[in-house]
Amino acid sequence: MSDQPAPVTAAIVVIGDEILSGRTRDTNSNHIALALGAIGVDLMEVRVVSDDQPAIVEAVNALRARNTYVFTTGGIGPTHDDKTADAIGAAFGVAVDHDPRAVAMLRERFPNPADLNEGRLRMARIPFGADLIANSVSKAPGFRLENVFVMAGVPSIMRAMLDVVIPELKTGVPVASATLRADAKEGDIAMALGEVQKAHPSVSIGSYPFTDGDRFNTNLVLRSRDERALANAKAAVEAMLSDMRSGAAAG
Amino acid sequence: MSDQPAPVTAAIVVIGDEILSGRTRDTNSNHIALALGAIGVDLMEVRVVSDDQPAIVEAVNALRARNTYVFTTGGIGPTHDDKTADAIGAAFGVAVDHDPRAVAMLRERFPNPADLNEGRLRMARIPFGADLIANSVSKAPGFRLENVFVMAGVPSIMRAMLDVVIPELKTGVPVASATLRADAKEGDIAMALGEVQKAHPSVSIGSYPFTDGDRFNTNLVLRSRDERALANAKAAVEAMLSDMRSGAAAG
């Protein structure tokens, strides 16, 4: 609708061989998805890529060009396999070096100079021109370069960084949703549901089969930024389901 | 190494607004990752895209051009929001229509013609030239077109389809792995670990911090297709950790 603000969109790049190997399950992108949804930011895509500079650069550059924001998780620790800071520098064509602000943050956590070794100082390597993202858990910061937010992969640290980032973001109108359990198999309601969808184009109606004991059932999820349109579509789906049950009972 | 066969690679495209909204967690890609790893296929990338034809086409075409295999999950049900078959047809530039083999499979499940309605028949719409993937759970098949395997999103059905698909795939040498708990913070071992990595380039050494009670600990995961190289690198990491502990005890 013309009086709606422009959509605010986002993508996530999950960086990690351990996710691709299947050894570790990514929980960060689900957490970010829910946090963005709550402020009306549309998550358009998630990519999981390996700890490999060309793969990271390609994903970040493709996604930052067409989304309001990109969030990366993983690869900013002290070890040799942490390649994200250099990859982001390469993606933007800027140098990466020890950042005095980041070094100061690490000094807070490691006041003894012997503890602030070369490995830990790697966590202060930040692309030129980036703003830092505070890390309340373990101090080593994330960073923001233009529309790209670079966060840790450890879930507790990622969440602490996201809490700092969320208030900085442009917001959209949150999508309201309603979930209806059809108590029917998807195939039995598909055509009638398609008609409801056609009659309510501003509401996205999703149909999700699930196993309910020993049979299939269906959740219908209606989503819209327009509360009134959502209520109308929900009433139409409820009427459709009620008609089908009467028909089934009569038949 | 020159006597190793060419790597067999794969990518996954997860199709679903419900994953991007955060309402549903994707468990399929982890399951596929583990199944591919067991037969030595390298998973290079996972993309989660929305139920949107251009998004699906772009992801599938980008990934099928550079991987041995692409697996898609989701969007092949009977309802209006199931867009994968048409998207795959568009990606390959082939028509999509009711496939008599798929119709026959659906008739097995729905012998009463009234049950095999127009919605269910949508599940028999298959791109021209595809082979079908049997579905032992609910009959409606997936399909394979060239190197792209199109599977259901419902986990029980996806797994049944994957069981059919896995024996058809080229296999590689499975990557062997060893996991060592460092009992140290990542930053304390980072530089020594980097030296071990340099000395053992055919082994990939990943360092994964985790919260262990109220402090951070580190898992080190060594991965290689060469069992002897893996054993050597593991011994080197163990010696490094032992040296660090003696040093710490002495210091």
Side-chain angles (χ1 to χ4, degrees):
Chain A
M1 279 155 289
S2 56
D3 61 345
Q4 296 272 0
V8 185
T9 68
I12 300 172
V13 181
V14 176
I15 296 160
D17 290 350
E18 279 293 271
I19 311 290
L20 292 173
S21 76
R23 185 180 171 276
T24 299
R25 286 167 191 262
D26 161 49
T27 58
N28 286 331
S29 59
N30 183 259
H31 183 89
I32 299 170
L34 292 169
L36 293 176
I39 61 168
V41 175
D42 291 334
L43 179 59
M44 306 304 288
E45 186 169 344
V46 178
R47 293 193 192 181
V48 186
V49 301
S50 67
D51 300 318
D52 171 62
Q53 183 172 118
I56 301 168
V57 168
E58 184 199 319
V60 167
N61 278 343
L63 295 171
R64 75 186 173 99
R66 62 185 187 209
N67 288 285
T68 316
Y69 301 117
V70 172
F71 301 87
T72 78
T73 64
I76 60 169
T79 50
H80 62 275
D81 57 331
D82 290 302
K83 299 178 178 170
T84 303
D86 285 307
I88 300 294
F92 282 89
V94 301
V96 180
D97 206 345
H98 293 102
D99 183 297
R101 300 164 300 173
V103 173
M105 289 172 173
L106 289 169
R107 280 218 180 91
E108 266 188 70
R109 181 163 163 90
F110 302 103
N112 182 342
D115 290 330
L116 192 53
N117 57 29
E118 189 185 335
R120 291 211 165 90
L121 280 170
R122 282 193 82 224
M123 296 191 286
R125 296 184 70 254
I126 304 286
F128 185 80
D131 294 320
L132 303 186
I133 301 172
N135 165 358
S136 60
V137 175
S138 58
K139 297 297 176 192
F143 58 87
R144 172 189 185 160
L145 193 54
E146 296 184 12
N147 63 337
V148 178
F149 295 81
V150 174
M151 304 188 292
V154 176
S156 60
I157 303 177
M158 192 287 297
R159 290 172 189 214
M161 289 181 177
L162 191 67
D163 288 345
V164 173
V165 163
I166 288 283
E168 295 180 23
L169 304 180
K170 286 182 222 171
T171 58
V173 177
V175 174
S177 73
T179 300
L180 297 168
R181 173 188 285 239
D183 287 327
K185 288 180 189 152
E186 213 183 10
D188 286 323
I189 57 172
M191 299 318 291
L193 190 70
E195 293 304 314
V196 176
Q197 173 68 86
K198 269 184 214 154
H200 298 268
S202 71
V203 178
S204 153
I205 305 180
S207 171
Y208 304 101
F210 65 99
T211 43
D212 186 11
D214 59 349
R215 60 192 291 279
F216 280 101
N217 198 335
T218 311
N219 275 322
L220 302 175
V221 179
L222 288 68
R223 295 166 54 84
S224 179
R225 295 199 141 91
D226 179 333
E227 294 269 9
R228 183 149 44 158
L230 181 69
N232 289 341
K234 185 180 174 213
V237 172
E238 283 168 339
M240 181 272 285
L241 292 172
S242 170
D243 286 352
M244 303 236 3
R245 281 182 206 118
S246 319
Chain B
M1 279 156 288
S2 56
D3 60 346
Q4 296 272 1
V8 186
T9 68
I12 300 172
V13 181
V14 176
I15 296 159
D17 290 350
E18 280 293 271
I19 310 291
L20 292 173
S21 75
R23 183 179 172 276
T24 298
R25 286 167 191 260
D26 162 49
T27 59
N28 286 331
S29 59
N30 183 260
H31 183 89
I32 299 169
L34 291 169
L36 293 176
I39 60 167
V41 175
D42 292 335
L43 180 59
M44 307 304 287
E45 185 168 344
V46 178
R47 294 193 189 179
V48 186
V49 301
S50 67
D51 300 316
D52 172 61
Q53 183 171 118
I56 300 167
V57 169
E58 184 199 317
V60 168
N61 278 342
L63 295 171
R64 74 185 173 100
R66 63 185 188 209
N67 289 285
T68 317
Y69 301 117
V70 172
F71 301 88
T72 78
T73 64
I76 61 167
T79 52
H80 63 275
D81 57 332
D82 289 301
K83 298 178 180 171
T84 302
D86 285 307
I88 298 296
F92 282 88
V94 300
V96 180
D97 206 345
H98 294 102
D99 182 298
R101 299 165 300 172
V103 173
M105 289 172 172
L106 290 170
R107 280 218 181 93
E108 267 188 68
R109 181 163 162 90
F110 301 102
N112 183 342
D115 289 331
L116 192 53
N117 58 30
E118 189 184 337
R120 292 210 166 91
L121 280 170
R122 283 193 81 225
M123 296 192 287
R125 295 184 71 254
I126 304 287
F128 186 79
D131 294 320
L132 304 186
I133 301 172
N135 164 358
S136 60
V137 175
S138 58
K139 297 298 177 189
F143 59 88
R144 171 189 186 160
L145 194 53
E146 296 183 13
N147 62 338
V148 178
F149 294 82
V150 174
M151 303 188 292
V154 176
S156 59
I157 303 177
M158 192 287 296
R159 290 171 189 215
M161 290 181 177
L162 190 67
D163 288 345
V164 173
V165 163
I166 287 283
E168 295 180 24
L169 304 180
K170 284 182 225 174
T171 57
V173 177
V175 174
S177 73
T179 301
L180 298 168
R181 174 188 284 240
D183 286 328
K185 288 179 191 154
E186 212 182 11
D188 287 324
I189 57 171
M191 298 321 289
L193 189 70
E195 293 305 314
V196 177
Q197 173 68 85
K198 267 184 216 154
H200 298 267
S202 70
V203 178
S204 154
I205 306 180
S207 172
Y208 305 101
F210 66 98
T211 44
D212 187 11
D214 59 349
R215 60 192 289 281
F216 280 101
N217 197 336
T218 310
N219 277 322
L220 302 175
V221 179
L222 288 68
R223 294 165 55 83
S224 179
R225 293 199 143 91
D226 179 334
E227 294 269 8
R228 183 148 47 159
L230 181 69
N232 290 340
K234 185 179 174 213
V237 172
E238 282 167 341
M240 180 274 284
L241 292 172
S242 170
D243 286 353
M244 304 233 10
R245 283 184 203 115
S246 321

